């Protein structure tokens, strides 16, 4: 185990005058060197002072004399006065007609542009509509349709088909029976008498009003077997 001897404090150390001599000598050498050394310090650069030099301003040249121009002489004012018109009296002759002479073919009228009246619109004609017509309608009872068979044709056993034009009045009655094409006289007379007496129609109409009309029918005379 190592044992160290205690170190006495600095205050208790004994000062040696020989040790201070070199220290003092060293400081003296340093101070002498600093004092003898050339101080090469950078020079501080200062901005040169601003020098203001006044510049004399030349005086304005004197104005050039303006040559006098010849001034026009004032003229005397002259006022043009119209001469008065003196009416000259005409001859006071009662035999002279003072009225203006009329111009043949000229008629006085209003002064200014002539204003023509605007043409009035003409009424447009309404389109004529065709009347609404309906034909006659058969209205005879079933038992009155067939006309009687002619006796002479019945005995002979003859048959026929007739085309008949019927004229119907506004009351629906048949007023005439006319054949269309060839027709046997006996069959035609038998059919005419029966149709005029028995057949009835609902009359034809025109715009809702009953009117006379005509129609064509086929009538066949047949014998029953």
């Amino acid at each position: 185990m190592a044992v160290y001897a205690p170190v006495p404090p600095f205050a208790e150390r004994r000062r040696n005058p020989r040790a201070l001599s070199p220290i003092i000598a060293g400081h003296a050498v340093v101070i002498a060197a600093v004092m003898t050394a050339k101080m090469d310090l950078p020079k501080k650069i200062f901005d040169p002072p601003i020098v203001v030099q006044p510049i004399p301003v030349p005086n304005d040249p004197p104005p050039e004399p303006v040559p006098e121009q010849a001034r026009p002489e004032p003229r005397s004012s002259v006022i043009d006065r119209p001469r008065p018109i003196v009416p000259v009296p005409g001859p006071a002759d009662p035999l002279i007609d003072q009225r203006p002479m009329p111009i043949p073919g000229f008629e006085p009228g209003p002064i200014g542009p002539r204003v023509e009246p605007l043409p009035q619109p003409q009424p447009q004609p309404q389109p004529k509509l065709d009347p609404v017509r309906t034909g006659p309608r058969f209205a005879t009872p079933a038992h009155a349709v067939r006309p009687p068979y002619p006796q002479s044709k019945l005995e002979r056993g003859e048959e026929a088909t007739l085309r008949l034009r019927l004229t119907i009045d506004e009351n629906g009655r048949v007023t005439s029976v006319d054949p269309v094409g060839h027709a046997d006289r006996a069959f035609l007379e038998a059919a005419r008498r029966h149709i005029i007496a028995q057949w009835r129609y609902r009359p034809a109409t025109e715009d809702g009003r009953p009117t006379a009309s005509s129609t064509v029918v086929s009538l066949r005379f047949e014998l029953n077997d």
Side-chain angles (χ1 to χ4, degrees):
M1 180 175 177
V3 178
Y4 296 92
V7 179
F10 179 79
E12 295 179 358
R13 292 181 183 179
R14 187 178 180 182
R15 297 180 180 179
N16 191 355
R18 293 179 179 178
L20 292 176
S21 297
I23 295 174
I24 294 172
H27 281 82
V29 173
V30 172
I31 292 172
V34 171
M35 292 178 65
T36 57
K38 188 177 181 181
M39 303 296 290
D40 294 332
L41 298 176
K43 295 181 180 181
K44 186 176 183 180
I45 301 173
F46 296 95
D47 295 333
I50 299 175
V51 179
V52 178
Q53 294 181 359
I55 299 174
V57 179
N59 297 328
D60 296 335
E64 297 180 0
V66 180
E68 295 184 358
Q69 297 180 357
R71 299 182 180 179
E73 297 182 357
R75 297 181 181 179
S76 59
S77 301
V78 178
I79 299 176
D80 294 333
R81 296 182 179 180
R83 297 181 179 180
I85 299 175
V86 179
V88 179
D93 190 353
L95 298 179
I96 299 176
D97 191 1
Q98 301 293 332
R99 294 175 298 177
M101 182 179 294
I103 301 175
F106 174 76
E107 295 182 359
I111 300 175
R114 185 177 181 182
V115 179
E116 297 289 344
L118 296 176
Q120 298 295 328
Q122 298 295 330
Q124 298 295 331
Q126 297 294 332
K128 187 176 180 181
L129 301 177
D130 295 334
V132 179
R133 296 186 178 92
T134 58
R137 288 173 292 176
F138 193 64
T140 304
H143 66 275
V145 173
R146 298 184 63 180
Y149 216 95
Q151 186 63 32
S152 60
K153 301 298 180 182
L154 184 60
E155 293 175 354
R156 295 177 185 178
E158 295 181 6
E159 297 180 346
T161 300
L162 306 179
R163 285 182 57 83
L164 307 173
R165 180 180 299 277
L166 310 181
T167 302
I168 305 166
D169 62 9
E170 61 272 9
N171 296 320
R173 299 178 64 89
V174 180
T175 57
S176 66
V177 177
D178 299 312
V180 178
H182 175 73
D184 185 85
R185 184 175 182 83
F187 285 115
L188 178 61
E189 292 298 330
R192 178 180 290 129
R193 289 192 300 267
H194 180 78
I195 290 175
I196 292 176
Q198 300 294 331
W199 282 20
R200 295 293 181 271
Y201 281 85
R202 292 181 182 178
T205 60
E206 184 174 332
D207 288 338
R209 299 186 302 273
T211 182
S213 61
S214 64
T215 184
V216 176
V217 298
S218 295
L219 182 62
R220 181 173 179 81
F221 287 87
E222 293 180 346
L223 295 174
N224 295 329
D225 296 337

